[in-house]
Amino acid sequence: MGNERQPASETGLSRHRVVVEAVRLADQDGVHALSMRRLAGVLDVGAMSLYHYVASKEELLDAMIDVVFEEIELPPQESDWQTAMRRRAVSARQVLTRHPWATGLMESRTTPGPANLRHREAVTACLRRSGFTVPMATHANWLLDSYVYGHALQETTLPFDTADELADMVEDVYLPQLPPDQFPYLHESAATLAATGYDPAEEFIFGLDLILSALEPLRASA
């Protein structure tokens, strides 16, 4: 009898391959479209084979979120805290743009993986070593994460991707709906932004720098 041979399609199957393929599917169709049965079909294996590598859908989600945290740059230790946290926030936004399904799950995992914990330890260490008290470091962490996640979520709902696309939409869609006699300020804003080449992508850094500047006095007073 001995050990049964795996089907040829399962050769090379591993936990890493299972998780990476799950992330790819979620990137493509959203996490709600992901199921163990569909994942098994894409990997060309039996559904029960996946449970050798992940015990449940929840364990799979934990592993997928860990992949996302692994991609986010840790705050560099050699930089001042504002530069370090800015780089980390910019990286997080870029990663969540690649994996928009992850935004709503980043804080929901009760069994975080090693990359998740490494990331949180590095962020907390950066703030504490810079002089923030434990309560103030917690406030700063919540504020920064809320801003990054909220901005990432908002960007996924925008009907345009670039400054040029926004300018076209303002001219063709928004301005006709904003007669200046009824909406003078909205009309003025839309026309001005379209004419000046306004890029909504710059809003992230503008808001991020405001938050970092507002946190500095709290660190200094500590």
Side-chain angles (χ1 to χ4, degrees), residues 41-57:
V42 171
L43 291 167
D44 193 25
V45 299
M48 294 306 297
S49 298
L50 298 183
Y51 292 99
H52 292 294
Y53 304 99
V54 286
S56 65
K57 174 75 173 293

PDB file of all heavy atoms in Angstrom, residues 41-57:
ATOM      1  N   GLY A  41      -9.699  24.931  -8.265  1.00  0.00           N
ATOM      2  CA  GLY A  41      -9.870  24.801  -9.703  1.00  0.00           C
ATOM      3  C   GLY A  41      -8.772  25.503 -10.479  1.00  0.00           C
ATOM      4  O   GLY A  41      -8.266  24.977 -11.478  1.00  0.00           O
ATOM      5  N   VAL A  42      -8.389  26.697 -10.035  1.00  0.00           N
ATOM      6  CA  VAL A  42      -7.324  27.436 -10.710  1.00  0.00           C
ATOM      7  C   VAL A  42      -5.992  26.702 -10.575  1.00  0.00           C
ATOM      8  O   VAL A  42      -5.179  26.681 -11.507  1.00  0.00           O
ATOM      9  CB  VAL A  42      -7.227  28.864 -10.133  1.00  0.00           C
ATOM     10  CG1 VAL A  42      -5.987  29.572 -10.654  1.00  0.00           C
ATOM     11  CG2 VAL A  42      -8.469  29.664 -10.476  1.00  0.00           C
ATOM     12  N   LEU A  43      -5.764  26.081  -9.422  1.00  0.00           N
ATOM     13  CA  LEU A  43      -4.525  25.334  -9.197  1.00  0.00           C
ATOM     14  C   LEU A  43      -4.578  23.936  -9.811  1.00  0.00           C
ATOM     15  O   LEU A  43      -3.566  23.218  -9.789  1.00  0.00           O
ATOM     16  CB  LEU A  43      -4.249  25.227  -7.700  1.00  0.00           C
ATOM     17  CG  LEU A  43      -3.860  26.530  -6.997  1.00  0.00           C
ATOM     18  CD1 LEU A  43      -3.926  26.362  -5.481  1.00  0.00           C
ATOM     19  CD2 LEU A  43      -2.469  26.974  -7.412  1.00  0.00           C
ATOM     20  N   ASP A  44      -5.760  23.560 -10.301  1.00  0.00           N
ATOM     21  CA  ASP A  44      -5.958  22.250 -10.937  1.00  0.00           C
ATOM     22  C   ASP A  44      -5.683  21.116  -9.960  1.00  0.00           C
ATOM     23  O   ASP A  44      -4.964  20.162 -10.265  1.00  0.00           O
ATOM     24  CB  ASP A  44      -5.082  22.119 -12.188  1.00  0.00           C
ATOM     25  CG  ASP A  44      -5.492  20.930 -13.050  1.00  0.00           C
ATOM     26  OD1 ASP A  44      -6.660  20.527 -12.963  1.00  0.00           O
ATOM     27  OD2 ASP A  44      -4.640  20.399 -13.793  1.00  0.00           O
ATOM     28  N   VAL A  45      -6.256  21.250  -8.766  1.00  0.00           N
ATOM     29  CA  VAL A  45      -6.137  20.201  -7.756  1.00  0.00           C
ATOM     30  C   VAL A  45      -7.503  19.973  -7.141  1.00  0.00           C
ATOM     31  O   VAL A  45      -8.436  20.753  -7.333  1.00  0.00           O
ATOM     32  CB  VAL A  45      -5.131  20.583  -6.652  1.00  0.00           C
ATOM     33  CG1 VAL A  45      -3.745  20.798  -7.233  1.00  0.00           C
ATOM     34  CG2 VAL A  45      -5.600  21.824  -5.881  1.00  0.00           C
ATOM     35  N   GLY A  46      -7.626  18.912  -6.387  1.00  0.00           N
ATOM     36  CA  GLY A  46      -8.854  18.673  -5.656  1.00  0.00           C
ATOM     37  C   GLY A  46      -8.994  19.663  -4.515  1.00  0.00           C
ATOM     38  O   GLY A  46      -8.001  20.064  -3.902  1.00  0.00           O
ATOM     39  N   ALA A  47     -10.224  20.054  -4.209  1.00  0.00           N
ATOM     40  CA  ALA A  47     -10.444  21.049  -3.155  1.00  0.00           C
ATOM     41  C   ALA A  47      -9.864  20.591  -1.829  1.00  0.00           C
ATOM     42  O   ALA A  47      -9.312  21.394  -1.060  1.00  0.00           O
ATOM     43  CB  ALA A  47     -11.941  21.346  -3.023  1.00  0.00           C
ATOM     44  N   MET A  48      -9.970  19.310  -1.526  1.00  0.00           N
ATOM     45  CA  MET A  48      -9.464  18.809  -0.246  1.00  0.00           C
ATOM     46  C   MET A  48      -7.955  18.912  -0.156  1.00  0.00           C
ATOM     47  O   MET A  48      -7.398  18.957   0.951  1.00  0.00           O
ATOM     48  CB  MET A  48      -9.908  17.357  -0.033  1.00  0.00           C
ATOM     49  CG  MET A  48     -11.413  17.187   0.141  1.00  0.00           C
ATOM     50  SD  MET A  48     -12.081  18.242   1.475  1.00  0.00           S
ATOM     51  CE  MET A  48     -11.221  17.554   2.883  1.00  0.00           C
ATOM     52  N   SER A  49      -7.267  18.967  -1.298  1.00  0.00           N
ATOM     53  CA  SER A  49      -5.804  19.078  -1.275  1.00  0.00           C
ATOM     54  C   SER A  49      -5.351  20.377  -0.633  1.00  0.00           C
ATOM     55  O   SER A  49      -4.284  20.434  -0.005  1.00  0.00           O
ATOM     56  CB  SER A  49      -5.246  18.994  -2.706  1.00  0.00           C
ATOM     57  OG  SER A  49      -5.553  17.755  -3.292  1.00  0.00           O
ATOM     58  N   LEU A  50      -6.148  21.443  -0.774  1.00  0.00           N
ATOM     59  CA  LEU A  50      -5.756  22.743  -0.210  1.00  0.00           C
ATOM     60  C   LEU A  50      -5.668  22.698   1.305  1.00  0.00           C
ATOM     61  O   LEU A  50      -4.889  23.440   1.905  1.00  0.00           O
ATOM     62  CB  LEU A  50      -6.752  23.823  -0.636  1.00  0.00           C
ATOM     63  CG  LEU A  50      -6.882  24.092  -2.134  1.00  0.00           C
ATOM     64  CD1 LEU A  50      -7.848  25.243  -2.367  1.00  0.00           C
ATOM     65  CD2 LEU A  50      -5.520  24.422  -2.738  1.00  0.00           C
ATOM     66  N   TYR A  51      -6.473  21.831   1.908  1.00  0.00           N
ATOM     67  CA  TYR A  51      -6.519  21.800   3.373  1.00  0.00           C
ATOM     68  C   TYR A  51      -5.276  21.155   3.978  1.00  0.00           C
ATOM     69  O   TYR A  51      -5.121  21.150   5.197  1.00  0.00           O
ATOM     70  CB  TYR A  51      -7.792  21.098   3.834  1.00  0.00           C
ATOM     71  CG  TYR A  51      -9.036  21.903   3.513  1.00  0.00           C
ATOM     72  CD1 TYR A  51      -9.807  21.607   2.389  1.00  0.00           C
ATOM     73  CD2 TYR A  51      -9.408  22.985   4.304  1.00  0.00           C
ATOM     74  CE1 TYR A  51     -10.932  22.363   2.080  1.00  0.00           C
ATOM     75  CE2 TYR A  51     -10.532  23.738   4.004  1.00  0.00           C
ATOM     76  CZ  TYR A  51     -11.288  23.425   2.895  1.00  0.00           C
ATOM     77  OH  TYR A  51     -12.391  24.177   2.600  1.00  0.00           O
ATOM     78  N   HIS A  52      -4.399  20.614   3.136  1.00  0.00           N
ATOM     79  CA  HIS A  52      -3.088  20.182   3.629  1.00  0.00           C
ATOM     80  C   HIS A  52      -2.193  21.389   3.900  1.00  0.00           C
ATOM     81  O   HIS A  52      -1.202  21.286   4.634  1.00  0.00           O
ATOM     82  CB  HIS A  52      -2.398  19.268   2.604  1.00  0.00           C
ATOM     83  CG  HIS A  52      -3.069  17.944   2.431  1.00  0.00           C
ATOM     84  ND1 HIS A  52      -3.132  17.006   3.429  1.00  0.00           N
ATOM     85  CD2 HIS A  52      -3.719  17.417   1.352  1.00  0.00           C
ATOM     86  CE1 HIS A  52      -3.780  15.940   2.991  1.00  0.00           C
ATOM     87  NE2 HIS A  52      -4.150  16.168   1.735  1.00  0.00           N
ATOM     88  N   TYR A  53      -2.534  22.546   3.317  1.00  0.00           N
ATOM     89  CA  TYR A  53      -1.666  23.721   3.391  1.00  0.00           C
ATOM     90  C   TYR A  53      -2.300  24.867   4.183  1.00  0.00           C
ATOM     91  O   TYR A  53      -1.590  25.639   4.836  1.00  0.00           O
ATOM     92  CB  TYR A  53      -1.332  24.200   1.976  1.00  0.00           C
ATOM     93  CG  TYR A  53      -0.716  23.102   1.149  1.00  0.00           C
ATOM     94  CD1 TYR A  53      -1.478  22.359   0.253  1.00  0.00           C
ATOM     95  CD2 TYR A  53       0.635  22.773   1.298  1.00  0.00           C
ATOM     96  CE1 TYR A  53      -0.913  21.329  -0.491  1.00  0.00           C
ATOM     97  CE2 TYR A  53       1.206  21.744   0.552  1.00  0.00           C
ATOM     98  CZ  TYR A  53       0.422  21.023  -0.333  1.00  0.00           C
ATOM     99  OH  TYR A  53       0.980  19.997  -1.061  1.00  0.00           O
ATOM    100  N   VAL A  54      -3.606  25.001   4.121  1.00  0.00           N
ATOM    101  CA  VAL A  54      -4.333  25.977   4.940  1.00  0.00           C
ATOM    102  C   VAL A  54      -5.564  25.278   5.497  1.00  0.00           C
ATOM    103  O   VAL A  54      -6.324  24.660   4.762  1.00  0.00           O
ATOM    104  CB  VAL A  54      -4.740  27.227   4.128  1.00  0.00           C
ATOM    105  CG1 VAL A  54      -3.535  28.108   3.848  1.00  0.00           C
ATOM    106  CG2 VAL A  54      -5.443  26.862   2.839  1.00  0.00           C
ATOM    107  N   ALA A  55      -5.757  25.386   6.790  1.00  0.00           N
ATOM    108  CA  ALA A  55      -6.799  24.605   7.449  1.00  0.00           C
ATOM    109  C   ALA A  55      -8.200  25.142   7.183  1.00  0.00           C
ATOM    110  O   ALA A  55      -9.179  24.416   7.353  1.00  0.00           O
ATOM    111  CB  ALA A  55      -6.539  24.558   8.956  1.00  0.00           C
ATOM    112  N   SER A  56      -8.299  26.415   6.798  1.00  0.00           N
ATOM    113  CA  SER A  56      -9.615  27.018   6.616  1.00  0.00           C
ATOM    114  C   SER A  56      -9.488  28.270   5.762  1.00  0.00           C
ATOM    115  O   SER A  56      -8.384  28.750   5.490  1.00  0.00           O
ATOM    116  CB  SER A  56     -10.221  27.391   7.980  1.00  0.00           C
ATOM    117  OG  SER A  56      -9.436  28.403   8.597  1.00  0.00           O
ATOM    118  N   LYS A  57     -10.628  28.812   5.377  1.00  0.00           N
ATOM    119  CA  LYS A  57     -10.636  30.074   4.627  1.00  0.00           C
ATOM    120  C   LYS A  57     -10.045  31.198   5.484  1.00  0.00           C
ATOM    121  O   LYS A  57      -9.333  32.070   4.964  1.00  0.00           O
ATOM    122  CB  LYS A  57     -12.085  30.404   4.228  1.00  0.00           C
ATOM    123  CG  LYS A  57     -12.283  31.768   3.557  1.00  0.00           C
ATOM    124  CD  LYS A  57     -11.795  31.792   2.141  1.00  0.00           C
ATOM    125  CE  LYS A  57     -12.160  33.103   1.431  1.00  0.00           C
ATOM    126  NZ  LYS A  57     -13.608  33.288   1.225  1.00  0.00           N
TER     127      LYS A  57
END
